[in-house]
Amino acid sequence: MPDRNGSLQTAAFLRRVVFLSATLLLLAAGIGRGQPLPPPEAASLWTGWQIGQVVIRALAVQGDEVWIGTSNGLIRFNRKSETHQIYNTKSGLLSNVVVSIRFDSKGSAWIGTYGGGLSRFDGGAWEHFTPYGRGPKTYGPEWVLYNPKNGLGDLWVYDLLFEPNGTMWVATWKGASRFDGKGFVTYTMDDGLVDKWVYTIEREPSGVLWFGTEGGVNRFDGKTMKGWTHRDGLGAAVGNSKARPPSGDEYEEGPAHHQQDRKENQEANPNYVISSAIDGEGTKWFGTWGGGLSRFDGKRFKNYTTADGLAGNIVNAIEIDKQGVMWIGTNKGVSRFDGKSFKNFNTMSGLLGDYVYSIAIDPDGNKWFGTFGGVSRYSGR
């Protein structure tokens, strides 16, 4: 159990795996299973932390700290000292299932959760944002009620984006919510979104926003929406292939929530965009649920699948490093893509798990990958 400062006591721990010299580190709940050893020449490039029976859905780096969002709380991990703190519903969160983490210009962490809305943490105090109001978890006199038009779009928060002027955009399951510091305005299908389930947000330097949804992608210039779907070329054809996550995913995205509208997230779907990135040339990249990786130059799409060398056709995460190399988290490992060819990594290479949910890159260029059961760090290029 966490103490008053959120740090973990000895009742729970995490196994740190360095493939050349395995050591133990007390960190978070559960003992992970042993992993197959990678080839000797690659072993020194990988380090793993086995957290237990949890999904690492979110990773974010702030200086020397790696924030790890799990399906059972939040870990704030110092990558240099390997010290840590744990946050959960007992220490501030409204939900233990963390699915997005971003930092504002003041350094505060904003935590998007599955069913618990959005939480801001400045290192000392928590403030929560829901469709109904904002304030501390105690819901006391400081709690500010929202009217139905000014609250957060939904309690399910999948992505966050901060504009240079401080405006925040929030991807929810009921639209894209814009926050001006006081209240929210939520854009829905009535405003031109191709689907109300929004999973990812990107911003061009010009200020144009891109939303990835369960029904395709949208471009928003602040006034008008334009949408693209599989009919326009988004995502590869998938047939009737299944696209379920590992059985260990204890908060499978969709069934309970989607059944409200009789929508089932069971099959591969090229319209279902769950990750995105914009590269240095302004090209948009979209990761789909079973339809592979989709490249969009503003006019046409080009899709990449396992037939082209991509590790897996479910693309959960995309990050681009300082050299312009793309790192892609899939259901069958990680792909490194330099624009010409793919190089793939899996458990035989050094990953703790083949199903990769999240990616972050630290200031030293190390790549961090969130899987079911733990986090892997890769120091190679």
Side-chain angles (χ1 to χ4, degrees):
M1 300 292 294
D3 62 19
R4 293 180 181 177
N5 296 321
S7 61
L8 199 69
Q9 298 176 352
T10 56
F13 54 93
L14 175 149
R15 174 179 293 173
R16 182 177 188 268
V17 180
V18 181
F19 287 108
L20 290 184
S21 58
T23 59
L24 294 180
L25 170 70
L26 300 184
L27 188 62
I31 304 176
R33 299 175 182 175
Q35 299 294 328
L37 293 176
E41 65 274 11
S44 60
L45 300 177
W46 290 91
T47 306
W49 288 265
Q50 294 178 321
I51 296 175
Q53 301 298 302
V54 293
V55 175
I56 311 303
R57 184 62 179 79
L59 287 170
V61 176
Q62 185 183 50
D64 289 341
E65 292 185 326
V66 180
W67 293 64
I68 305 169
T70 84
S71 53
N72 194 28
L74 176 68
I75 301 172
R76 183 180 181 181
F77 177 60
N78 189 297
R79 62 190 178 92
K80 296 294 180 66
S81 65
E82 296 195 350
T83 56
H84 66 279
Q85 289 179 296
I86 302 292
Y87 305 101
N88 55 26
T89 53
K90 293 186 177 180
S91 53
L93 287 168
L94 294 182
S95 168
N96 280 333
V97 183
V98 175
V99 291
S100 57
I101 307 168
R102 296 288 185 271
F103 305 101
D104 63 23
S105 60
K106 296 180 180 179
S108 293
W110 292 76
I111 314 300
T113 71
Y114 187 94
L118 177 64
S119 297
R120 183 181 69 87
F121 182 58
D122 63 8
W126 293 86
E127 184 177 18
H128 305 289
F129 300 80
T130 74
Y132 323 108
R134 61 180 287 187
K137 192 175 180 180
T138 55
Y139 304 105
E142 297 179 356
W143 184 261
V144 177
L145 292 175
Y146 285 132
N147 67 45
K149 294 184 178 181
N150 297 124
L152 179 65
D154 197 18
L155 290 171
W156 282 259
V157 174
Y158 269 79
D159 198 10
L160 302 162
L161 182 143
F162 291 95
E163 298 202 68
N165 65 2
T167 298
M168 177 176 65
W169 289 85
V170 187
T172 82
W173 261 344
K174 289 184 180 178
S177 295
R178 177 172 57 83
F179 182 61
D180 61 5
K182 296 181 180 180
F184 295 87
V185 174
T186 299
Y187 295 79
T188 67
M189 294 178 70
D190 292 337
D191 301 293
L193 280 175
V194 293
D195 196 283
K196 68 178 181 179
W197 281 275
V198 182
Y199 290 90
T200 181
I201 308 174
E202 299 295 333
R203 181 183 186 274
E204 295 183 30
S206 66
V208 171
L209 298 171
W210 292 81
F211 304 113
T213 80
E214 190 162 328
V217 298
N218 277 102
R219 178 187 186 275
F220 181 51
D221 62 8
K223 295 180 180 180
T224 59
M225 294 267 191
K226 183 177 181 180
W228 291 264
T229 69
H230 180 57
R231 291 182 178 181
D232 303 302
L234 172 67
V238 296
N240 296 317
S241 60
K242 295 286 184 179
R244 295 297 299 271
S247 59
D249 188 344
E250 52 191 71
Y251 67 102
E252 292 173 357
E253 296 176 358
H257 192 83
H258 285 67
Q259 283 172 4
Q260 297 173 12
D261 289 62
R262 296 183 180 180
K263 293 180 70 174
E264 293 282 355
N265 181 24
Q266 308 288 334
E267 306 289 340
N269 181 355
N271 280 318
Y272 183 5
V273 175
I274 49 180
S275 59
S276 59
I278 300 177
D279 66 25
E281 297 180 352
T283 302
K284 289 77 183 174
W285 297 85
F286 302 106
T288 72
W289 183 274
L293 176 68
S294 198
R295 177 187 184 274
F296 185 54
D297 62 8
K299 296 181 179 180
R300 59 183 61 86
F301 290 90
K302 177 178 175 55
N303 299 304
Y304 300 86
T305 68
T306 53
D308 303 292
L310 185 67
N313 287 333
I314 299 176
V315 179
N316 295 304
I318 307 170
E319 291 291 334
I320 301 174
D321 66 22
K322 293 180 180 179
Q323 288 72 42
V325 174
M326 186 176 301
W327 297 84
I328 306 156
T330 82
N331 59 316
K332 294 184 179 180
V334 171
S335 289
R336 178 191 185 276
F337 184 53
D338 60 8
K340 297 179 180 179
S341 61
F342 293 94
K343 180 180 180 180
N344 297 327
F345 305 88
N346 54 28
T347 52
M348 294 302 293
S349 309
L351 272 171
L352 288 180
D354 283 338
Y355 207 104
V356 178
Y357 292 87
S358 52
I359 303 175
I361 302 175
D362 68 31
D364 296 327
N366 299 306
K367 273 63 70 173
W368 296 74
F369 305 112
T371 70
F372 173 71
V375 176
S376 296
R377 182 185 64 196
Y378 178 63
S379 59
R381 303 301 180 199

